[in-house]
Amino acid sequence: MTAGGEQATAMSGSVTPDPEAADPKDAPVGPAADGSKGSLRSTGSTGSTAQRPWWVWAVPFTFLFVLLCVRNRFLFTTRLYEQGDAGANSILIEQAKHFTLLIGNYSREGFNHPGPAYMYVQAFGEYLFSDALHVVPTAWNAHMLSVFALDSAFVALAVGVVYGWTRSLRGAAICFAVFIAFAVAYPPIVNSDWMPYMYVPTYVVFVIAAGSVVAGRSQDAWIFALTGWFLIHGQACFLFFVPVLTLAVLAAVLWPHRRTLRASAGSFVREQRRVWVPIAVISAVFAFPIVLNLVLHWPGDFGKYISYGSSAQAGGHSLHQIVLYALWFWWPHRYAWLAPVLLYALALAVTYWLSRGPMRRFLLALLAINMVSSLAFGVYAAVGIDDLSEYYIGYFYWSAPLVTMLVVVLGAAEAIRRRPGTHGVQGGAGSVIARRAFALSTAAAVLAAAASFIALAVLPDTHANTKDIDESLPRVVATLAARAPGKTIVLHIDHSAWVETTGFLVQAERSGVKACLDDPWWTFMMTRQFICTPAQAASGRAYWFYPPHVPASATVILRFSGVAVAPAPTS
């Protein structure tokens, strides 16, 4: 293999093997042709299990991470203080820094999602970028850099999976180009810390890795496990999606071995430690906080998941409403049904007519997994979503058009991969033309990747959203602390003031000021740490956070963001 993964050009007069020709190693996984018992083995695009070169991972990660840092260079100099959803997440991140966090981000349904993985990533980012390297002035800035790094890592994983099948710079460039093109259409999927956007690159890689494993490349199973566990930690709905797609993958992988399942599984355990050991380690690490939280606080939030799923609040939509909701993610305009119909028809056409061998198997597996994901999304919309006008709930389903488009482009590129002749000596002139065509197609893929990259670089929306930022929070905390020396600040809030409250509480924690909210209903968002005990409520200094309309009897002492602060009336 050359650096680009392609076979070296043969010397004049020598025989060059056809990369599309059948190879014994490319045979489908299953019992051996001689009737002996097979094992669960993996195959790649050429049957190779060679390590992917470092640049396949490093280049896309570095390019995207550097782009996001440069476009958001204000993070390195401007002191920014978060509130709203970002503030609620920062409350959890503060706990993660002390390794006490066992739950995930809050849900508007009044519970927390299953696990803290995303929060621990941002806690590590705060430690690295703020506490250790001091490259950013405030904690939220560090959180954003860690989000950039995580999203860039997921894009790099997708590129690595595709390269494993194409073994070419062209394949890697195509995957990067398609992914970044979607980021151009929806920039927050790579530059936002809002959780619905953060699920998108994770789920896309989960689907792509699932297709790779189904097609026979078990080396990518660790990526499938890693992204699946991240998703489970991130949102309760993935307790449905991840098992459904995992069962689909297992069914596809095990079906050829159904008559020799025990022997094949035993051989797999003995011979494929590099496959199952990483999966076991990843699963143990990610399962630990969920299991520990269940042991300590049984049944945790899982009881609330079941209650919500069985309530009249979830689901209850007509088939027409469900279809329209799903189609929105393909094309949010009129005649949206044409988008999946035409894209899938085109994807099937290029897969069957222009690709062959293991690459065809991979593309078909991607389409099949994408279809399973779409069916699962329809079920989720039917029984799990309360309001189908809230599209953010299903942003991760942007994976469907992205993966389908990836199949179309990869399949079309395969038409240029073929060379004159099969299983024999290739003609000199025809071989030269084929090599030049392949080189031109590689150049076109690289140019497409560069064009997508440049478009994302100049797009105004690549600038991270700072709508949940209030730079006055340190002053507000200091002012109230000065009015209540040595006492706990006890907050009472109108419902709409939760946005400012999260920011106040996390800033108070960072400043060493004791503060709490005297309303246990908000535990799901503020956590038990910031809900007042009876002793705190009785001995602390109480304040109200009012929305813009303040009661006539209130004495406003300061205003910030969208609220007015007044001492609570004494009873």
Side-chain angles (χ1 to χ4, degrees):
M1 293 287 184
T2 63
E6 295 303 313
Q7 291 179 327
T9 303
M11 295 179 61
S12 177
S14 64
V15 177
T16 304
D18 179 5
E20 301 293 345
D23 188 295
K25 300 177 192 174
D26 288 339
V29 179
D34 61 2
S36 62
K37 293 178 180 180
S39 63
L40 300 173
R41 299 180 182 274
S42 60
T43 61
S45 59
T46 61
S48 171
T49 59
Q51 293 286 335
R52 283 160 280 207
W54 64 269
W55 61 263
V56 172
W57 316 98
V59 171
F61 172 85
T62 303
F63 273 40
L64 182 55
F65 182 65
V66 170
L67 182 154
L68 293 172
C69 288
V70 171
R71 286 290 285 112
N72 294 278
R73 55 190 176 274
F74 66 91
L75 294 173
F76 296 97
T77 57
T78 307
R79 305 184 70 87
L80 301 171
Y81 302 95
E82 69 277 27
Q83 57 185 8
D85 285 341
N89 285 347
S90 289
I91 290 174
L92 301 178
I93 293 167
E94 283 295 312
Q95 296 174 9
K97 288 184 66 178
H98 298 90
F99 298 100
T100 60
L101 181 65
L102 299 176
I103 58 175
N105 52 291
Y106 83 90
S107 166
R108 62 183 173 85
E109 302 300 337
F111 52 74
N112 290 90
H113 291 296
Y118 286 97
M119 303 305 146
Y120 273 100
V121 169
Q122 294 177 73
F124 176 75
E126 182 178 338
Y127 167 77
L128 178 64
F129 297 117
S130 180
D131 300 343
L133 299 179
H134 304 290
V135 295
V136 292
T138 52
W140 183 78
N141 304 43
H143 300 168
M144 289 305 300
L145 293 187
S146 63
V147 169
F148 296 165
L150 184 63
D151 290 342
S152 299
F154 283 133
V155 172
L157 287 175
V159 172
V161 171
V162 171
Y163 178 89
W165 288 93
T166 64
R167 289 287 163 181
S168 68
L169 171 62
R170 183 183 67 178
I174 286 173
C175 183
F176 187 74
V178 172
F179 217 126
I180 299 304
F182 264 76
V184 171
Y186 306 106
I189 69 174
V190 293
N191 77 340
S192 174
D193 63 339
W194 195 37
M195 298 307 298
Y197 287 125
M198 291 186 67
Y199 305 141
V200 178
T202 317
Y203 193 74
V204 170
V205 180
F206 179 67
V207 171
I208 293 174
S212 182
V213 175
V214 166
R217 192 171 178 85
S218 59
Q219 297 97 316
D220 293 330
W222 73 270
I223 300 175
F224 178 65
L226 178 69
T227 51
W229 275 109
F230 259 106
L231 292 167
I232 287 174
H233 275 234
Q235 187 171 342
C237 77
F238 293 114
L239 291 168
F240 169 67
F241 281 91
V242 172
V244 166
L245 266 67
T246 300
L247 288 174
V249 169
L250 288 174
V253 170
L254 297 178
W255 180 254
H257 307 273
R258 61 193 180 279
R259 293 185 177 87
T260 59
L261 188 58
R262 180 175 296 180
S264 297
S267 177
F268 174 80
V269 171
R270 290 190 303 272
E271 301 175 10
Q272 299 293 324
R273 291 184 178 87
R274 292 187 177 182
V275 173
W276 67 262
V277 169
I279 296 174
V281 172
I282 289 169
S283 298
V285 170
F286 278 79
F288 176 75
I290 297 177
V291 172
L292 181 59
N293 188 56
L294 287 174
V295 171
L296 296 176
H297 309 107
W298 177 264
D301 287 297
F302 280 76
K304 297 178 182 178
Y305 304 155
I306 296 172
S307 298
Y308 170 77
S310 59
S311 68
Q313 186 178 359
H317 313 294
S318 69
L319 179 61
H320 179 70
Q321 291 173 318
I322 294 167
V323 171
L324 289 180
Y325 184 75
L327 288 175
W328 184 91
F329 299 96
W330 289 83
W331 182 250
H333 305 289
R334 292 184 62 188
Y335 307 111
W337 62 271
L338 283 173
V341 170
L342 294 179
L343 271 179
Y344 248 85
L346 185 58
L348 288 171
V350 299
T351 299
Y352 273 106
W353 292 337
L354 302 181
S355 65
R356 57 186 291 185
M359 190 63 185
R360 175 187 290 178
R361 188 167 68 243
F362 174 54
L363 298 182
L364 287 175
L366 285 179
L367 291 176
I369 290 295
N370 209 21
M371 183 62 70
V372 173
S373 173
S374 295
L375 293 174
F377 187 77
V379 173
Y380 173 53
V383 302
I385 299 179
D386 56 348
D387 185 355
L388 292 185
S389 67
E390 300 287 2
Y391 291 104
Y392 74 88
I393 298 173
Y395 279 169
F396 64 90
Y397 186 59
W398 277 325
S399 62
L402 191 157
V403 170
T404 309
M405 183 58 68
L406 179 63
V407 170
V408 170
V409 181
L410 287 173
E414 281 295 291
I416 307 175
R417 186 178 183 85
R418 297 186 183 183
R419 300 179 184 177
T422 57
H423 308 289
V425 179
Q426 300 179 5
S431 181
V432 170
I433 293 173
R435 287 198 298 271
R436 289 179 177 174
F438 186 85
L440 287 174
S441 68
T442 300
V446 172
L447 287 174
S452 299
F453 182 83
I454 293 171
L456 184 64
V458 301
L459 198 69
D461 288 343
T462 309
H463 189 286
N465 193 318
T466 56
K467 68 179 182 64
D468 275 342
I469 296 299
D470 189 336
E471 298 177 4
S472 68
L473 280 168
R475 174 182 58 82
V476 174
V477 170
T479 299
L480 295 189
R483 294 174 64 93
K487 292 188 175 183
T488 299
I489 297 174
V490 177
L491 299 182
H492 303 268
I493 65 171
D494 280 357
H495 187 89
S496 61
W498 70 266
V499 173
E500 293 76 17
T501 303
T502 61
F504 181 91
L505 290 176
V506 74
Q507 186 57 34
E509 173 70 8
R510 291 170 182 161
S511 304
V513 175
K514 294 181 180 180
C516 63
L517 177 61
D518 192 19
D519 188 347
W521 186 86
W522 290 100
T523 302
F524 73 98
M525 182 184 294
M526 311 299 174
T527 75
R528 292 187 183 93
Q529 177 184 356
F530 291 106
I531 299 301
C532 297
T533 64
Q536 287 175 320
S539 62
R541 183 67 59 84
Y543 296 93
W544 265 95
F545 280 8
Y546 291 110
H549 301 290
V550 182
S553 59
T555 303
V556 177
I557 58 176
L558 63 86
R559 296 177 184 271
F560 74 104
S561 192
V563 302
V565 182
T570 57
S571 55

